[in-house]
Amino acid sequence: MSRRITVGAGQMGPIAREESKSDVVDRLMTMLHDAHEQGVDLLVYPELAMTTFFPRWFVADPAEFEHYYHREMPDHDTKPLFDEARRLGIGFALGYAEIDTDDQGVEHRYNTYILVERDGTVVSKFRKIHIPGHAQYEPWREFQHAERHYFEPGPDGFGAWPAFGGIVGMAICNDRRWPETYRVLGLQGAELILIGYNTPLHYAPDPTQNALSGFHNHLVMQAGAYQNGAFVVGVAKGGIEEGVDSLAQSVIIAPSGQIIAQAVTTGDEVISTTIDLDFCDTYKNTLFDFDYYRMHEHYGLITERRGAVPPA
Ligand code: CDT
């Protein structure tokens, strides 16, 4: 038996500061049609796919940037995309800036992914956990990375959901650099991990890392895939956006850790490949059989050495 699906990475090039959401949706639709021609079942768009990466500017009152957020999904701007995807039978993951109003009427701003099945059913939302950058204006920087001013960390943790014939998890950009992201998803059985990113090629706190940004991007996602026996789809918004050069190099990675598809441009580009989710078992049931091999009792402070006996 096999569980084959065709996954696509819908890499985006720059989105201009003044580009309207409906213009962006036109671009997303073009990619959706390209994906349809490639036979894609699930198309993954990048982090904050609806707007320019606005945290590069600091405005004292985030309400001034309210137009970059969505209060519901789909809304007026994105409904055509949801409708067309359902008509074509393509599921998708879309990154966007979310304002959520809680039961007490308090507004929360999150950096969010929504996952939608092929029949238009919303599977789940994921809100970015690791919020990088800074919360104050930092005048020494060439450009700001004020994500901590615009977003609070997602309160729900990492989740994995039955969808697309397997178990699907999500993470957003900086989340991908942390091993616990993949492990928490792996412990929930994730077989397919969807990750969008906006990664400037210039890292202001330590520019010696600039030349390694492509290496680090693939390093963390390939390791996360391998160590948890999962496929990873990593999708960039790349190219020079409002003067800031950002990493492209979107990839689809197998549970072996090997890159099996990679974007070759820094612009709008759909790459895709057919994967068999059963291939995850090749790793999940052998080298990374968590139940059999993880030395759970050794993860705390070890005060006494005991033989670690595999379960009968
Ligand atoms: N969007 C995002 O999370 N970008 C970060 C940049 C880190 S530098 C502030 C990343 O980890 O790629």
Side-chain angles (χ1 to χ4, degrees):
M1 204 192 105
S2 69
R3 290 177 292 144
R4 292 163 77 83
I5 58 163
T6 300
V7 290
Q11 175 178 286
M12 299 185 75
I15 300 177
R17 183 171 182 164
E18 300 307 332
E19 205 163 325
S20 72
K21 284 176 175 161
S22 67
D23 284 349
V24 173
V25 166
D26 285 347
R27 286 171 59 181
L28 298 176
M29 294 270 242
T30 299
M31 285 194 280
L32 190 71
H33 290 132
D34 188 353
H36 181 59
E37 281 177 18
Q38 296 183 37
V40 166
D41 299 297
L42 167 60
L43 180 62
V44 185
Y45 293 113
E47 172 194 35
L48 298 178
M50 291 298 302
T51 64
T52 198
F53 189 75
F54 61 85
R56 76 168 59 91
W57 297 284
F58 188 94
V59 293
D61 180 2
E64 209 179 304
F65 275 177
E66 174 138 355
H67 57 289
Y68 288 132
Y69 292 79
H70 299 254
R71 289 182 178 273
E72 54 187 32
M73 190 59 75
D75 60 7
H76 173 76
D77 293 304
T78 53
K79 191 167 181 307
L81 177 72
F82 280 66
D83 290 347
E84 185 66 353
R86 188 179 61 238
R87 190 182 74 79
L88 296 173
I90 301 180
F92 63 94
L94 178 72
Y96 66 100
E98 176 191 18
I99 295 179
D100 179 57
T101 306
D102 70 20
D103 295 343
Q104 278 73 47
V106 179
E107 289 188 351
H108 302 274
R109 287 158 198 260
Y110 301 116
N111 186 335
T112 300
Y113 243 136
I114 189 166
L115 178 63
V116 182
E117 255 288 9
R118 291 156 284 193
D119 64 359
T121 309
V122 173
V123 176
S124 189
K125 275 186 194 173
F126 166 73
R127 290 152 171 167
K128 184 175 181 176
I129 307 276
H130 301 89
I131 309 294
H134 47 100
Q136 314 295 333
Y137 180 63
E138 296 195 349
W140 57 272
R141 291 175 183 263
E142 279 177 39
F143 53 89
Q144 303 293 295
H145 197 110
E147 276 195 68
R148 297 181 75 86
H149 180 56
Y150 294 111
F151 301 115
E152 52 186 284
D156 311 315
F158 290 101
W161 298 273
F164 298 93
I167 309 291
V168 182
M170 294 179 274
I172 299 180
C173 198
N174 193 261
D175 290 326
R176 79 193 187 287
R177 302 188 189 276
W178 301 85
E180 54 267 41
T181 296
Y182 307 91
R183 182 45 50 91
V184 170
L185 290 171
L187 287 169
Q188 296 174 68
E191 298 173 310
L192 178 58
I193 300 175
L194 317 177
I195 304 174
Y197 58 90
N198 282 258
T199 296
L201 290 174
H202 176 63
Y203 181 61
D206 176 17
T208 68
Q209 295 180 30
N210 293 357
L212 298 172
S213 61
F215 167 65
H216 288 154
N217 179 46
H218 289 167
L219 174 72
V220 291
M221 293 193 291
Q222 290 180 260
Y226 169 63
Q227 291 171 339
N228 296 279
F231 288 92
V232 169
V233 182
V235 189
K237 177 141 68 63
I240 302 174
E241 187 180 90
E242 299 293 345
V244 176
D245 204 356
S246 292
L247 185 67
Q249 299 182 11
S250 302
V251 278
I252 301 171
I253 300 166
S256 59
Q258 293 168 291
I259 291 173
I260 49 178
Q262 179 166 341
V264 294
T265 72
T266 58
D268 291 7
E269 177 182 352
V270 177
I271 58 167
S272 66
T273 189
T274 300
I275 61 173
D276 182 354
L277 293 171
D278 280 350
F279 184 57
C280 297
D281 293 342
T282 307
Y283 287 84
K284 286 187 191 291
N285 292 345
T286 60
L287 203 62
F288 293 111
D289 183 335
F290 289 174
D291 290 341
Y292 194 82
Y293 289 117
R294 285 179 80 240
M295 298 295 107
H296 307 269
E297 67 270 38
H298 284 242
Y299 290 155
L301 184 64
I302 300 174
T303 53
E304 184 191 340
R305 285 224 165 267
R306 285 169 291 143
V309 182

